[in-house]
Amino acid sequence: AGDVDDRASRPHHLRAGLRHPVGARQVDVDHGAELLRGLPAGRHGGAHTGVVEQHVETAEGAPYLLLNGSSAYISTPDSVPLSITGDLELQVDIWLPDNRYLWDLCNKYGGAGARSWALQINAGGTVSLYWSADGTSLLGSTSTMPIWPCSGRTAIKATLDVNDGAGNHVVKFYTADAIGGTWTQLGNTVTTAGTTSIFDSATGVAYGKNSATTAVTPVRQRFYGGRIYQGIAGTLRSSIDTSTLT
């Protein structure tokens, strides 16, 4: 309960619960599985969207979902394919309003005892990947330089190598114009002594939803897509693509 707006948990005739602003076309949550294709059904059901706005954007040339970090986000329940405990790769394609806020890109992160990982943008534009090996204690790495430019459409990638073979764990950050574009490493490779792992929590995966770790300021973000890989450039476990929305 609480992972999605209550209206998104009911399977029939949800149009009254979805906002329909000028220039936007409403998203029927009944069709969430079409948008969230590749997200596996969870232990308690299939993928859900929260209350979201769908826009067919002209300036950037692609449709997007408008998320706000609290009542409007995308989530799917926990599942075996999403229970990644080793190497991890996350990709998110968004439109950044600016770099004044701390806010979540995607996470599988709950309260104490239910924490797996979270990808966030910090005030000032740096990117942080957090994870927990025991479900409670927080580990993390932050990019050594901020995203630039600090606004506009940007795809962000983070990779975690839990064991580089030399007794370290390694995190790298990248940016691109969009998912599927050419990735450029953001700052330096962050290498930390000691191997690590990711706790297999029962928390679902969420895009554009504030995690339980910080008082993140809800920021309206344009969301274009996201991917989760088990292993670096490994097996694709989740894929969200808004380009098919018309």
Side-chain angles (χ1 to χ4, degrees), residues 123-196:
T126 57
V127 182
S128 292
L129 176 63
Y130 296 102
W131 68 95
S132 178
D134 61 9
T136 299
S137 301
L138 184 65
L139 304 168
S141 296
T142 299
S143 64
T144 60
M145 64 180 295
I147 295 171
W148 187 263
C150 61
S151 64
R153 184 174 178 179
T154 304
I156 298 168
K157 178 170 76 172
T159 64
L160 168 63
D161 182 350
V162 299
N163 184 353
D164 69 349
N168 309 304
H169 60 273
V170 178
V171 175
K172 296 181 181 181
F173 300 94
Y174 303 82
T175 61
D177 292 337
I179 283 182
T182 301
W183 294 102
T184 300
Q185 186 166 336
L186 178 67
N188 300 323
T189 300
V190 183
T191 302
T192 305
T195 61
T196 189

Side-chain angles (χ1 to χ4, degrees), residues 44-60:
H44 303 291
H48 299 284
T49 54
V51 178
V52 295
E53 297 173 359
Q54 174 192 337
H55 293 245
V56 178
E57 184 185 7
T58 56
E60 297 290 345

Side-chain angles (χ1 to χ4, degrees), residues 44-160:
H44 303 291
H48 299 284
T49 54
V51 178
V52 295
E53 297 173 359
Q54 174 192 337
H55 293 245
V56 178
E57 184 185 7
T58 56
E60 297 290 345
Y64 60 86
L65 298 177
L66 187 61
L67 311 179
N68 69 10
S70 55
S71 62
Y73 56 88
I74 301 168
S75 70
T76 191
D78 180 38
S79 66
V80 173
L82 291 173
S83 297
I84 300 168
T85 59
D87 293 352
L88 175 69
E89 178 175 326
L90 304 172
Q91 300 179 11
V92 180
D93 191 345
I94 56 169
W95 183 89
L96 297 171
D98 53 48
N99 64 355
R100 294 177 296 166
Y101 301 100
L102 168 66
W103 49 292
D104 281 289
L105 297 173
C106 61
N107 62 70
K108 192 178 189 290
Y109 212 101
R115 297 170 178 168
S116 292
W117 50 262
L119 183 62
Q120 296 178 341
I121 292 183
N122 307 301
T126 57
V127 182
S128 292
L129 176 63
Y130 296 102
W131 68 95
S132 178
D134 61 9
T136 299
S137 301
L138 184 65
L139 304 168
S141 296
T142 299
S143 64
T144 60
M145 64 180 295
I147 295 171
W148 187 263
C150 61
S151 64
R153 184 174 178 179
T154 304
I156 298 168
K157 178 170 76 172
T159 64
L160 168 63

Side-chain angles (χ1 to χ4, degrees), residues 27-41 46-49 54 63 65 74-76 79 81-82 179 205 207 223-229 236-246:
V27 176
D28 191 334
V29 180
D30 290 348
H31 300 147
E34 296 175 12
L35 170 66
L36 300 169
R37 62 184 181 279
L39 284 175
H48 299 284
T49 54
Q54 174 192 337
L65 298 177
I74 301 168
S75 70
T76 191
S79 66
L82 291 173
I179 283 182
V205 169
Y207 291 87
F223 178 86
Y224 297 93
R227 296 175 182 173
I228 299 173
Y229 290 87
L236 182 63
R237 294 302 191 188
S238 162
S239 179
I240 304 178
D241 182 5
T242 66
S243 67
T244 58
L245 300 177
T246 56

